[in-house]
Amino acid sequence: MSHETLRLTVADHIATITIARPPVNAQNNRFREELAEVVDSLGDRSDVRVIVLTGEGKAFSAGADLSERPTQEPGHYTAHNRRVRASFDCLLECPKPIIAAVNGAAIGAGCVTALCCDIIVTSEKGFLQMTEVNVGLAGGVAHVRRHFGESDARLLIMTARRIYGPDLLRMNVASACTAPEELMETAMGIAADIAKASPSAVRAAKRSFQVTEGMSIYDAYRFEQTQTKALSTSDDTAEAMAAFREKRPPVFKD
């Protein structure tokens, strides 16, 4: 299937989505529709176990396409906000892990897109920035707060500063910060490690992160135990146990 704003490749159980809307990969309605369509499809594909999301050129995504800002016509803003939420929710709700490889500017909606992924890796030239306060807008606090400490979250939101890869690593927002030419190798290495693991166990792990956010530790751990119990009778677990006993790599079916 061809797309106007994205490129998709799949190999070795790893799907790579590249945002391809030059010059800065700004997000318009077509992009939002295509991202949700592609991520939903990959979530159901048995040949995909993990997804890497990156940007073409020098930007990850420089935010919303301002030429498509909603008008004050009744219902227009409501519909626009619903489409924007859907483009973020598809990443949060996808049953497969998603790795953001932040190759350059991730601004506004682009920043939130990266923050909706499960793992963030960035190049030294990659940066996150929320510019809403400079243009009289608001938004993104909830997503920023999930990854940044309270003071740093306020710094990002209230100053509109660019926070580059080395500082994102120091702040524990990114899991790795690399030279630009090493970014995709690093992201694909993490993806390969995930792809080797039990697919059903990885999906259960992501489900635990989704469900237990905001729960008490008591209720959260009880939920995780139900996940473990369900997995205990799965084909994946039986294969993993057999492979361990036989000292061989496991061969998972999905």
Side-chain angles (χ1 to χ4, degrees):
M1 185 181 298
S2 62
H3 300 92
E4 293 178 12
T5 68
L6 303 171
R7 292 201 314 275
L8 172 66
T9 61
V10 177
D12 300 323
H13 299 291
I14 302 169
T16 303
I17 303 172
T18 303
I19 306 170
R21 192 165 184 265
V24 293
N25 300 326
Q27 301 184 13
N28 64 353
N29 287 333
R30 183 62 179 164
F31 163 82
R32 297 179 185 107
E33 292 168 0
E34 291 186 348
L35 182 65
E37 174 188 293
V38 168
V39 172
D40 288 348
S41 174
L42 294 174
D44 287 341
R45 285 177 56 166
S46 61
D47 62 332
V48 172
R49 297 177 182 174
V50 58
I51 300 165
V52 176
L53 177 63
T54 193
E56 180 180 80
K58 296 182 179 180
F60 178 79
S61 172
D65 186 338
L66 296 182
S67 69
E68 289 191 1
R69 291 299 302 170
T71 69
Q72 296 303 317
E73 181 181 348
H76 200 193
Y77 234 115
T78 300
H80 169 78
N81 286 346
R82 185 182 301 112
R83 285 191 293 267
V84 171
R85 287 197 306 273
S87 70
F88 300 147
D89 290 348
C90 71
L91 304 171
L92 293 168
E93 296 170 1
C94 179
K96 314 288 176 63
I98 303 176
I99 301 166
V102 181
N103 55 302
I107 302 172
C111 177
V112 174
T113 296
L115 295 175
C116 286
C117 296
D118 297 284
I119 297 170
I120 299 172
V121 296
T122 178
S123 82
E124 294 163 346
K125 294 184 177 180
F127 65 86
L128 301 184
Q129 184 180 24
M130 295 296 289
T131 57
E132 278 74 1
V133 296
N134 285 347
V135 291
L137 299 174
V141 169
H143 291 288
V144 167
R145 207 175 218 164
R146 293 176 66 242
H147 291 270
F148 287 79
E150 285 295 306
S151 181
D152 290 330
R154 287 166 170 77
L155 178 74
L156 181 70
I157 293 287
M158 294 177 182
T159 68
R161 289 183 184 179
R162 296 179 177 183
I163 301 184
Y164 281 88
D167 281 330
L168 293 172
L169 182 64
R170 176 183 60 80
M171 293 173 175
N172 294 320
V173 174
S175 296
C177 175
T178 74
E181 64 273 15
E182 296 173 359
L183 175 64
M184 287 307 295
E185 180 182 357
T186 298
M188 296 301 282
I190 296 170
D193 286 343
I194 294 172
K196 292 175 188 174
S198 160
S200 58
V202 170
R203 290 194 298 270
K206 178 157 183 178
R207 181 65 177 156
S208 290
F209 277 104
Q210 292 167 327
V211 171
T212 63
E213 187 172 3
M215 280 186 178
S216 70
I217 191 169
Y218 176 82
D219 291 332
Y221 191 61
R222 287 189 69 184
F223 174 79
E224 290 182 66
Q225 287 182 314
T226 68
Q227 297 280 83
T228 297
K229 180 179 179 182
L231 287 169
S232 67
T233 58
S234 71
D235 292 340
D236 271 7
T237 298
E239 169 59 14
M241 294 295 184
F244 179 79
R245 289 193 302 270
E246 297 163 15
K247 296 181 172 57
R248 61 172 176 80
V251 180
F252 298 114
K253 295 180 181 179
D254 64 349

